[in-house]
Coordinates of all heavy atoms in Angstrom, one line a residue:
R13 N 20.0 0.6 -9.2 CA 18.7 1.1 -8.9 C 17.7 0.9 -10.0 O 16.6 0.5 -9.8 CB 18.8 2.5 -8.4 CG 17.5 3.2 -8.0 CD 17.7 4.6 -7.6 NE 16.5 5.2 -7.1 CZ 15.6 5.8 -7.9 NH1 15.8 5.9 -9.2 NH2 14.5 6.3 -7.4
E14 N 18.1 1.4 -11.2 CA 17.2 1.3 -12.3 C 16.8 -0.1 -12.7 O 15.7 -0.4 -13.1 CB 17.8 2.1 -13.5 CG 17.8 3.6 -13.4 CD 16.4 4.2 -13.0 OE1 15.5 3.8 -13.6 OE2 16.4 5.0 -12.1
E15 N 17.8 -1.0 -12.6 CA 17.5 -2.4 -12.9 C 16.5 -3.0 -11.9 O 15.5 -3.7 -12.3 CB 18.8 -3.2 -12.8 CG 18.6 -4.7 -13.2 CD 19.9 -5.5 -13.3 OE1 20.9 -5.0 -13.0 OE2 19.8 -6.7 -13.6
A16 N 16.7 -2.6 -10.6 CA 15.7 -3.1 -9.6 C 14.3 -2.6 -9.9 O 13.3 -3.3 -9.8 CB 16.2 -2.7 -8.2
L17 N 14.2 -1.3 -10.1 CA 12.9 -0.7 -10.5 C 12.3 -1.4 -11.7 O 11.1 -1.6 -11.7 CB 13.0 0.8 -10.7 CG 13.3 1.6 -9.5 CD1 13.6 3.1 -9.9 CD2 12.2 1.6 -8.5
D18 N 13.1 -1.7 -12.7 CA 12.6 -2.4 -13.8 C 12.0 -3.7 -13.5 O 11.0 -4.2 -14.0 CB 13.7 -2.5 -14.9 CG 13.2 -3.2 -16.2 OD1 12.2 -2.7 -16.8 OD2 13.8 -4.2 -16.6
L19 N 12.7 -4.5 -12.6 CA 12.3 -5.8 -12.2 C 11.0 -5.7 -11.4 O 10.1 -6.5 -11.6 CB 13.4 -6.5 -11.4 CG 14.6 -6.9 -12.3 CD1 15.7 -7.4 -11.4 CD2 14.2 -8.0 -13.3
Y20 N 10.9 -4.8 -10.5 CA 9.7 -4.6 -9.7 C 8.5 -4.3 -10.7 O 7.4 -4.8 -10.5 CB 9.8 -3.4 -8.7 CG 10.7 -3.8 -7.5 CD1 11.6 -2.9 -7.1 CD2 10.5 -5.0 -6.9 CE1 12.4 -3.2 -5.9 CE2 11.3 -5.3 -5.7 CZ 12.2 -4.4 -5.3 OH 13.0 -4.7 -4.2
Q21 N 8.8 -3.4 -11.6 CA 7.7 -3.0 -12.6 C 7.3 -4.2 -13.4 O 6.1 -4.4 -13.7 CB 8.2 -1.9 -13.5 CG 7.0 -1.3 -14.4 CD 6.0 -0.7 -13.5 OE1 6.2 0.2 -12.7 NE2 4.7 -1.1 -13.7
R22 N 8.2 -5.1 -13.8 CA 7.9 -6.3 -14.5 C 7.0 -7.2 -13.7 O 6.0 -7.8 -14.2 CB 9.1 -7.0 -15.0 CG 9.8 -6.4 -16.2 CD 10.6 -7.5 -16.9 NE 11.9 -7.0 -17.2 CZ 12.9 -7.7 -17.4 NH1 12.9 -9.0 -17.4 NH2 14.1 -7.2 -17.8
A23 N 7.3 -7.3 -12.4 CA 6.5 -8.2 -11.5 C 5.1 -7.6 -11.4 O 4.1 -8.3 -11.4 CB 7.2 -8.3 -10.1
I24 N 5.0 -6.3 -11.3 CA 3.7 -5.7 -11.2 C 2.9 -5.9 -12.5 O 1.7 -6.3 -12.5 CB 3.8 -4.2 -10.9 CG1 4.4 -4.0 -9.5 CG2 2.5 -3.4 -11.1 CD1 5.0 -2.6 -9.3
D25 N 3.6 -5.6 -13.6 CA 2.9 -5.8 -14.9 C 2.4 -7.3 -15.2 O 1.5 -7.5 -15.9 CB 3.8 -5.3 -16.0 CG 4.1 -3.8 -16.0 OD1 3.3 -3.1 -15.3 OD2 5.0 -3.4 -16.7
A26 N 3.2 -8.2 -14.6 CA 2.8 -9.6 -14.7 C 1.7 -10.1 -13.8 O 1.3 -11.2 -13.8 CB 4.0 -10.5 -14.5
G27 N 1.1 -9.1 -13.0 CA 0.1 -9.4 -12.1 C 0.5 -9.8 -10.7 O -0.2 -10.5 -10.0
G28 N 1.7 -9.4 -10.4 CA 2.3 -9.8 -9.1 C 1.6 -9.3 -7.9 O 1.9 -9.8 -6.8
G29 N 0.8 -8.3 -8.0 CA 0.0 -7.8 -6.8 C 0.6 -6.6 -6.2 O 1.7 -6.1 -6.5
A30 N -0.1 -6.1 -5.2 CA 0.1 -4.8 -4.5 C 1.5 -4.9 -3.7 O 2.1 -3.9 -3.5 CB -1.0 -4.5 -3.6
E31 N 1.8 -6.1 -3.3 CA 3.0 -6.1 -2.5 C 4.3 -5.7 -3.2 O 5.3 -5.2 -2.7 CB 3.2 -7.5 -1.9 CG 3.6 -8.6 -2.9 CD 2.4 -9.3 -3.5 OE1 1.3 -8.9 -3.3 OE2 2.6 -10.3 -4.3
W32 N 4.3 -5.8 -4.6 CA 5.4 -5.3 -5.4 C 5.6 -3.8 -5.4 O 6.7 -3.3 -5.4 CB 5.4 -6.0 -6.8 CG 5.7 -7.4 -6.7 CD1 4.7 -8.4 -6.8 CD2 6.9 -8.0 -6.5 NE1 5.4 -9.6 -6.6 CE2 6.7 -9.4 -6.5 CE3 8.2 -7.5 -6.4 CZ2 7.8 -10.3 -6.3 CZ3 9.3 -8.4 -6.2 CH2 9.0 -9.8 -6.2
W33 N 4.4 -3.2 -5.3 CA 4.5 -1.7 -5.1 C 5.2 -1.3 -3.8 O 6.0 -0.4 -3.7 CB 3.1 -1.0 -5.2 CG 2.5 -1.0 -6.6 CD1 1.4 -1.7 -7.0 CD2 3.0 -0.3 -7.7 NE1 1.2 -1.5 -8.3 CE2 2.1 -0.6 -8.8 CE3 4.1 0.5 -7.9 CZ2 2.3 0.0 -10.0 CZ3 4.2 1.1 -9.2 CH2 3.3 0.8 -10.2
A34 N 4.8 -2.1 -2.8 CA 5.4 -1.8 -1.5 C 6.9 -2.1 -1.5 O 7.7 -1.4 -0.8 CB 4.7 -2.7 -0.4
R35 N 7.3 -3.2 -2.2 CA 8.7 -3.5 -2.3 C 9.5 -2.4 -3.1 O 10.7 -2.3 -2.8 CB 8.9 -4.9 -2.9 CG 8.4 -6.0 -2.0 CD 8.5 -7.3 -2.6 NE 7.9 -8.3 -1.8 CZ 7.8 -9.6 -2.1 NH1 8.3 -10.0 -3.2 NH2 7.3 -10.4 -1.3
M36 N 8.8 -1.8 -4.0 CA 9.5 -0.7 -4.7 C 9.7 0.5 -3.9 O 10.6 1.3 -4.2 CB 8.6 -0.4 -6.0 CG 9.2 0.7 -6.9 SD 8.0 1.2 -8.1 CE 8.0 -0.2 -9.2
A37 N 8.9 0.7 -2.9 CA 8.8 2.0 -2.2 C 10.2 2.5 -1.7 O 10.5 3.7 -1.7 CB 7.9 1.9 -1.0
P38 N 11.1 1.6 -1.1 CA 12.3 2.2 -0.7 C 13.2 2.9 -1.8 O 13.9 3.8 -1.5 CB 13.1 1.0 -0.1 CG 12.0 0.0 0.3 CD 10.9 0.2 -0.8
L39 N 13.0 2.4 -3.0 CA 13.7 3.0 -4.1 C 13.0 4.2 -4.8 O 13.7 5.1 -5.2 CB 14.0 1.9 -5.2 CG 14.8 0.7 -4.8 CD1 14.9 -0.3 -5.9 CD2 16.3 1.2 -4.5
A40 N 11.7 4.1 -4.8 CA 11.0 5.2 -5.5 C 9.6 5.4 -4.7 O 8.6 4.9 -5.2 CB 10.7 4.8 -6.9
P41 N 9.6 6.0 -3.6 CA 8.4 6.1 -2.8 C 7.2 6.8 -3.5 O 6.1 6.3 -3.4 CB 8.8 6.9 -1.5 CG 10.1 7.4 -1.8 CD 10.7 6.6 -2.9
E42 N 7.5 7.8 -4.2 CA 6.4 8.5 -4.9 C 5.8 7.7 -6.0 O 4.6 7.6 -6.2 CB 6.9 9.9 -5.5 CG 7.3 10.9 -4.5 CD 8.7 10.7 -4.0 OE1 9.5 10.0 -4.7 OE2 9.0 11.3 -2.9
R43 N 6.6 7.0 -6.8 CA 6.2 6.1 -7.8 C 5.4 4.9 -7.2 O 4.3 4.5 -7.8 CB 7.4 5.5 -8.6 CG 7.1 4.6 -9.7 CD 8.3 4.3 -10.4 NE 8.1 3.2 -11.4 CZ 9.1 2.6 -12.1 NH1 10.3 3.1 -12.1 NH2 8.8 1.7 -13.0
A44 N 5.8 4.4 -6.1 CA 5.1 3.3 -5.4 C 3.7 3.8 -5.0 O 2.7 3.1 -5.2 CB 5.9 2.7 -4.3
V45 N 3.6 4.9 -4.3 CA 2.3 5.4 -3.9 C 1.4 5.7 -5.0 O 0.2 5.3 -5.0 CB 2.5 6.7 -3.0 CG1 1.2 7.4 -2.8 CG2 3.1 6.4 -1.7
A46 N 2.0 6.3 -6.1 CA 1.1 6.6 -7.3 C 0.6 5.3 -7.9 O -0.5 5.2 -8.3 CB 1.9 7.4 -8.3
G47 N 1.5 4.3 -7.9 CA 1.1 3.0 -8.5 C 0.0 2.3 -7.7 O -1.0 1.9 -8.2
L48 N 0.2 2.4 -6.4 CA -0.9 1.8 -5.5 C -2.2 2.5 -5.5 O -3.2 1.9 -5.5 CB -0.3 1.6 -4.1 CG 0.2 0.3 -3.7 CD1 0.8 0.3 -2.3 CD2 -0.8 -0.8 -3.9
R49 N -2.1 3.8 -5.6 CA -3.3 4.6 -5.7 C -4.1 4.3 -7.0 O -5.3 4.1 -7.0 CB -3.0 6.1 -5.6 CG -2.5 6.6 -4.2 CD -2.8 8.0 -3.9 NE -4.1 8.5 -4.3 CZ -5.2 8.3 -3.5 NH1 -5.2 7.6 -2.5 NH2 -6.4 8.9 -3.9
A50 N -3.3 4.2 -8.1 CA -4.0 3.8 -9.3 C -4.6 2.4 -9.2 O -5.7 2.1 -9.7 CB -3.0 3.8 -10.5
H51 N -3.9 1.5 -8.5 CA -4.4 0.1 -8.3 C -5.7 0.1 -7.5 O -6.6 -0.6 -7.9 CB -3.3 -0.7 -7.6 CG -3.7 -2.2 -7.4 ND1 -3.5 -3.1 -8.3 CD2 -4.2 -2.8 -6.3 CE1 -3.9 -4.3 -7.9 NE2 -4.4 -4.1 -6.6
V52 N -5.7 0.8 -6.4 CA -6.9 0.8 -5.6 C -8.1 1.6 -6.3 O -9.3 1.3 -6.1 CB -6.8 1.4 -4.2 CG1 -5.8 0.5 -3.4 CG2 -6.3 2.8 -4.1
E53 N -7.8 2.5 -7.2 CA -8.8 3.2 -7.9 C -9.4 2.2 -9.0 O -10.6 2.2 -9.2 CB -8.3 4.4 -8.6 CG -8.0 5.6 -7.7 CD -7.3 6.8 -8.3 OE1 -7.2 6.9 -9.5 OE2 -6.9 7.6 -7.5
A54 N -8.6 1.4 -9.5 CA -9.0 0.4 -10.5 C -9.7 -0.8 -9.9 O -10.6 -1.4 -10.4 CB -7.9 -0.1 -11.4
A55 N -9.3 -1.1 -8.7 CA -9.9 -2.3 -7.9 C -10.1 -1.8 -6.5 O -9.4 -2.2 -5.6 CB -8.9 -3.5 -8.0
P56 N -11.2 -1.0 -6.2 CA -11.4 -0.4 -4.9 C -11.8 -1.5 -3.9 O -11.7 -1.2 -2.7 CB -12.6 0.5 -5.1 CG -13.2 0.2 -6.4 CD -12.1 -0.5 -7.3
E57 N -12.1 -2.7 -4.3 CA -12.4 -3.8 -3.3 C -11.2 -4.5 -2.8 O -11.3 -5.5 -2.1 CB -13.4 -4.7 -3.9 CG -12.9 -5.6 -5.0 CD -12.6 -5.0 -6.3 OE1 -13.0 -3.9 -6.6 OE2 -11.8 -5.7 -7.1
A58 N -10.0 -4.2 -3.3 CA -8.8 -4.9 -3.0 C -8.2 -4.5 -1.6 O -7.5 -3.5 -1.5 CB -7.7 -4.7 -4.1
G59 N -8.7 -5.1 -0.6 CA -8.3 -4.8 0.8 C -6.9 -4.8 1.1 O -6.3 -3.9 1.7
A60 N -6.1 -5.8 0.5 CA -4.7 -5.9 0.8 C -4.0 -4.7 0.1 O -3.0 -4.3 0.7 CB -4.2 -7.2 0.2
A61 N -4.5 -4.3 -1.0 CA -3.8 -3.1 -1.7 C -4.0 -1.9 -0.8 O -3.1 -1.0 -0.7 CB -4.4 -2.9 -3.1
W62 N -5.2 -1.7 -0.2 CA -5.4 -0.6 0.7 C -4.5 -0.7 1.8 O -4.0 0.4 2.3 CB -6.9 -0.5 1.1 CG -7.8 0.1 0.1 CD1 -8.7 -0.7 -0.8 CD2 -8.0 1.4 -0.3 NE1 -9.3 0.2 -1.6 CE2 -8.9 1.5 -1.3 CE3 -7.4 2.6 0.2 CZ2 -9.3 2.7 -1.9 CZ3 -7.8 3.8 -0.4 CH2 -8.7 3.9 -1.4
G63 N -4.3 -1.9 2.4 CA -3.4 -2.0 3.5 C -2.0 -1.7 3.1 O -1.3 -1.0 3.9
A64 N -1.6 -2.1 1.9 CA -0.2 -1.8 1.5 C 0.0 -0.3 1.3 O 1.0 0.3 1.6 CB 0.1 -2.6 0.2
L65 N -1.1 0.4 0.8 CA -1.0 1.8 0.6 C -0.9 2.5 2.0 O -0.1 3.4 2.2 CB -2.3 2.3 -0.1 CG -2.3 3.8 -0.4 CD1 -1.1 4.2 -1.3 CD2 -3.7 4.1 -1.1
G66 N -1.6 2.0 3.0 CA -1.5 2.4 4.4 C -0.1 2.3 4.9 O 0.5 3.2 5.5
D67 N 0.5 1.2 4.6 CA 1.9 1.0 5.0 C 2.9 2.0 4.4 O 3.8 2.5 5.0 CB 2.4 -0.5 4.6 CG 1.7 -1.6 5.4 OD1 1.1 -1.3 6.5 OD2 1.7 -2.7 5.0
L68 N 2.6 2.3 3.1 CA 3.5 3.3 2.4 C 3.3 4.7 3.0 O 4.3 5.4 3.3 CB 3.2 3.3 0.9 CG 3.6 2.1 0.1 CD1 3.3 2.3 -1.4 CD2 5.0 1.7 0.3
Y69 N 2.1 5.0 3.2 CA 1.8 6.3 3.9 C 2.5 6.4 5.2 O 3.0 7.4 5.7 CB 0.3 6.6 3.9 CG -0.3 7.0 2.6 CD1 -1.5 6.5 2.2 CD2 0.3 8.0 1.8 CE1 -2.1 6.9 1.1 CE2 -0.3 8.3 0.6 CZ -1.5 7.8 0.2 OH -2.1 8.2 -0.9
R70 N 2.3 5.3 6.0 CA 2.9 5.3 7.3 C 4.4 5.5 7.3 O 4.9 6.2 8.1 CB 2.5 4.0 8.0 CG 3.0 3.8 9.4 CD 2.5 2.5 10.0 NE 2.8 2.4 11.4 CZ 2.5 1.4 12.1 NH1 1.7 0.4 11.7 NH2 2.8 1.4 13.4
A71 N 5.0 4.8 6.4 CA 6.5 4.9 6.2 C 6.9 6.3 5.9 O 8.0 6.7 6.3 CB 7.0 3.9 5.2
Q72 N 6.0 7.0 5.2 CA 6.4 8.4 4.8 C 6.0 9.4 5.9 O 6.2 10.6 5.7 CB 5.6 8.7 3.5 CG 6.2 8.0 2.3 CD 5.4 8.4 1.0 OE1 4.3 8.9 1.1 NE2 6.0 8.1 -0.1
G73 N 5.4 8.9 7.0 CA 5.0 9.8 8.1 C 3.7 10.5 7.9 O 3.3 11.4 8.6
D74 N 2.8 10.1 6.9 CA 1.6 10.7 6.7 C 0.5 9.9 7.4 O -0.2 9.0 6.9 CB 1.3 10.7 5.2 CG 0.0 11.5 4.8 OD1 -0.8 11.8 5.7 OD2 -0.1 11.9 3.7
R75 N 0.3 10.2 8.7 CA -0.6 9.4 9.6 C -2.0 9.5 9.1 O -2.7 8.5 9.2 CB -0.4 9.9 11.0 CG 0.9 9.7 11.6 CD 1.0 10.2 13.1 NE 0.0 9.6 14.0 CZ 0.2 8.5 14.7 NH1 1.4 7.9 14.5 NH2 -0.7 8.0 15.5
E76 N -2.5 10.7 8.7 CA -3.9 10.8 8.3 C -4.2 9.9 7.1 O -5.2 9.2 7.0 CB -4.1 12.3 8.0 CG -5.6 12.5 7.7 CD -5.9 14.0 7.5 OE1 -5.3 14.9 8.2 OE2 -6.7 14.3 6.6
A77 N -3.3 9.9 6.1 CA -3.6 9.1 4.9 C -3.4 7.7 5.2 O -4.2 6.8 4.7 CB -2.6 9.5 3.8
A78 N -2.5 7.3 6.1 CA -2.3 5.9 6.5 C -3.6 5.4 7.2 O -4.1 4.3 6.9 CB -1.1 5.8 7.4
R79 N -4.1 6.3 8.1 CA -5.3 5.9 8.9 C -6.5 5.7 7.9 O -7.2 4.7 8.0 CB -5.6 7.0 9.9 CG -6.7 6.6 10.8 CD -7.0 7.6 12.0 NE -6.9 9.0 11.5 CZ -6.0 9.8 11.9 NH1 -5.0 9.5 12.7 NH2 -6.1 11.1 11.5
A80 N -6.6 6.5 6.9 CA -7.7 6.4 6.0 C -7.6 5.1 5.2 O -8.6 4.4 4.9 CB -7.8 7.6 5.1
A81 N -6.4 4.8 4.7 CA -6.1 3.6 3.9 C -6.4 2.4 4.8 O -7.0 1.4 4.3 CB -4.8 3.6 3.3
Y82 N -5.9 2.4 6.0 CA -6.1 1.2 6.9 C -7.6 1.1 7.2 O -8.1 -0.1 7.4 CB -5.3 1.4 8.2 CG -3.8 1.2 8.1 CD1 -3.0 2.0 8.8 CD2 -3.3 0.2 7.3 CE1 -1.6 1.8 8.7 CE2 -1.9 0.0 7.2 CZ -1.1 0.9 7.9 OH 0.3 0.7 7.8
D83 N -8.3 2.2 7.4 CA -9.8 2.1 7.6 C -10.5 1.4 6.5 O -11.3 0.5 6.7 CB -10.3 3.5 7.8 CG -11.8 3.5 8.3 OD1 -12.2 2.6 9.0 OD2 -12.5 4.4 7.8
K84 N -10.1 1.7 5.3 CA -10.7 1.1 4.1 C -10.3 -0.4 4.1 O -11.1 -1.2 3.8 CB -10.2 1.8 2.8 CG -10.8 1.3 1.6 CD -12.3 1.7 1.4 CE -12.8 1.4 0.1 NZ -14.2 1.7 -0.1
A85 N -9.0 -0.7 4.4 CA -8.6 -2.1 4.4 C -9.3 -2.9 5.4 O -9.8 -4.0 5.2 CB -7.1 -2.2 4.6
R86 N -9.5 -2.3 6.6 CA -10.2 -3.1 7.6 C -11.7 -3.3 7.4 O -12.3 -4.3 7.7 CB -10.0 -2.5 9.0 CG -10.8 -1.3 9.3 CD -10.4 -0.5 10.6 NE -11.2 0.6 10.8 CZ -12.0 0.8 11.8 NH1 -12.0 -0.1 12.8 NH2 -12.7 1.9 11.9
T87 N -12.3 -2.4 6.6 CA -13.6 -2.6 6.2 C -13.8 -3.7 5.2 O -14.7 -4.5 5.3 CB -14.2 -1.2 5.6 OG1 -14.1 -0.2 6.6 CG2 -15.6 -1.4 5.1
L88 N -12.8 -3.8 4.2 CA -12.8 -4.8 3.2 C -12.4 -6.1 3.6 O -12.8 -7.1 3.1 CB -12.0 -4.3 2.0 CG -12.5 -3.1 1.3 CD1 -11.5 -2.5 0.3 CD2 -13.8 -3.4 0.5
E89 N -11.4 -6.1 4.6 CA -10.9 -7.4 5.1 C -11.3 -7.5 6.6 O -10.4 -7.6 7.5 CB -9.3 -7.3 5.0 CG -8.8 -7.2 3.6 CD -9.0 -8.4 2.7 OE1 -9.0 -9.5 3.3 OE2 -9.0 -8.3 1.5
S90 N -12.6 -7.6 6.8 CA -13.1 -7.5 8.2 C -12.6 -8.7 9.1 O -12.7 -8.7 10.3 CB -14.6 -7.5 8.2 OG -15.2 -8.6 7.6
T91 N -12.2 -9.8 8.5 CA -11.7 -11.0 9.3 C -10.2 -10.8 9.7 O -9.7 -11.6 10.4 CB -11.9 -12.3 8.5 OG1 -11.2 -12.2 7.3 CG2 -13.4 -12.5 8.3
S92 N -9.5 -9.8 9.1 CA -8.1 -9.6 9.4 C -7.9 -8.6 10.5 O -8.4 -7.4 10.4 CB -7.4 -9.2 8.2 OG -6.0 -8.8 8.5
L93 N -7.3 -9.0 11.6 CA -7.0 -8.0 12.7 C -5.9 -7.1 12.4 O -5.7 -6.1 13.1 CB -6.8 -8.8 14.0 CG -8.0 -9.5 14.6 CD1 -7.6 -10.3 15.8 CD2 -9.1 -8.6 14.9
V94 N -5.1 -7.5 11.4 CA -3.9 -6.6 11.1 C -4.2 -5.2 10.8 O -3.7 -4.3 11.4 CB -3.1 -7.3 9.9 CG1 -2.0 -6.4 9.5 CG2 -2.5 -8.6 10.3
Y95 N -5.2 -5.0 9.9 CA -5.6 -3.7 9.5 C -6.3 -2.9 10.7 O -6.1 -1.7 10.8 CB -6.4 -3.7 8.3 CG -5.7 -4.3 7.1 CD1 -6.3 -5.4 6.5 CD2 -4.4 -4.0 6.8 CE1 -5.6 -6.0 5.4 CE2 -3.7 -4.6 5.8 CZ -4.3 -5.6 5.1 OH -3.7 -6.3 4.1
E96 N -7.0 -3.6 11.5 CA -7.6 -3.0 12.7 C -6.5 -2.5 13.6 O -6.6 -1.4 14.1 CB -8.5 -4.0 13.4 CG -9.2 -3.5 14.6 CD -10.3 -2.4 14.3 OE1 -10.9 -2.5 13.3 OE2 -10.4 -1.5 15.1
I97 N -5.5 -3.3 13.8 CA -4.4 -2.9 14.7 C -3.7 -1.7 14.2 O -3.4 -0.7 14.9 CB -3.5 -4.1 15.0 CG1 -4.2 -5.2 15.8 CG2 -2.2 -3.6 15.6 CD1 -3.5 -6.5 15.9
R98 N -3.4 -1.8 12.9 CA -2.7 -0.7 12.3 C -3.5 0.6 12.3 O -3.0 1.7 12.5 CB -2.2 -1.0 10.8 CG -1.1 -2.1 10.9 CD -0.7 -2.5 9.5 NE 0.3 -3.5 9.6 CZ 0.6 -4.3 8.5 NH1 0.1 -4.1 7.4 NH2 1.6 -5.2 8.7
Y99 N -4.8 0.5 12.0 CA -5.7 1.6 12.1 C -5.6 2.3 13.5 O -5.5 3.5 13.6 CB -7.1 1.2 11.7 CG -8.2 2.3 11.9 CD1 -8.3 3.3 10.9 CD2 -9.0 2.2 13.0 CE1 -9.3 4.3 11.1 CE2 -10.0 3.2 13.1 CZ -10.1 4.2 12.2 OH -11.1 5.2 12.3
R100 N -5.7 1.5 14.5 CA -5.7 2.0 15.9 C -4.3 2.6 16.2 O -4.3 3.6 16.9 CB -6.0 0.9 16.9 CG -7.5 0.5 16.7 CD -7.9 -0.5 17.7 NE -9.3 -0.9 17.5 CZ -10.0 -1.6 18.4 NH1 -9.5 -1.9 19.6 NH2 -11.2 -1.9 18.2
Q101 N -3.2 2.0 15.7 CA -1.9 2.6 15.9 C -1.8 4.0 15.3 O -1.0 4.8 15.8 CB -0.9 1.7 15.3 CG -0.7 0.4 16.1 CD 0.3 -0.6 15.4 OE1 0.5 -0.5 14.2 NE2 0.9 -1.4 16.2
M102 N -2.6 4.2 14.3 CA -2.5 5.6 13.6 C -3.5 6.5 14.3 O -3.8 7.6 13.7 CB -2.8 5.4 12.1 CG -1.8 4.6 11.3 SD -0.3 5.6 11.2 CE 0.7 4.8 12.4
G103 N -4.1 6.1 15.4 CA -5.0 7.0 16.1 C -6.5 6.9 15.8 O -7.3 7.7 16.2
G104 N -6.8 5.8 15.1 CA -8.2 5.5 14.8 C -9.0 4.9 15.8 O -8.5 4.5 16.9

């Protein structure tokens, strides 16, 4: 477990992107959410990161937070129907 977390963190530190936080989530969900929240605070225009954050919240059963993250993602990635669909699935 620790070795896997270390490898995910290395990928993130090397600029691997928001998807690595999502991949880390099954092993350390709180760490993954905290990392993605920091990522979107540093780069609030990163639509894919907002979408990944929505996915993490959704997996944790936090519909309200997931809906808010998907709403931000669909605003930033207006040509992608994925976030629109996920937003609506969360009751938006």
Side-chain angles (χ1 to χ4, degrees):
R13 179 179 185 273
E14 291 306 314
E15 184 178 0
L17 288 173
D18 181 55
L19 290 171
Y20 287 134
Q21 190 63 55
R22 281 203 228 162
I24 292 162
D25 293 345
E31 69 272 5
W32 289 100
W33 287 115
R35 291 177 185 178
M36 179 190 286
L39 295 175
E42 294 85 15
R43 181 175 169 184
V45 167
L48 261 177
R49 287 206 47 80
H51 182 83
V52 298
E53 288 173 12
E57 74 290 342
W62 282 102
L65 185 58
D67 291 342
L68 292 183
Y69 283 136
R70 183 179 186 172
Q72 291 179 340
D74 190 341
R75 293 178 63 85
E76 186 176 320
R79 185 174 45 248
Y82 288 141
D83 187 35
K84 185 73 171 177
R86 75 187 182 122
T87 299
L88 293 168
E89 301 286 337
S90 61
T91 60
S92 174
L93 292 177
V94 171
Y95 303 125
E96 180 68 33
I97 291 167
R98 290 178 181 165
Y99 174 76
R100 290 181 184 199
Q101 288 173 335
M102 294 290 100

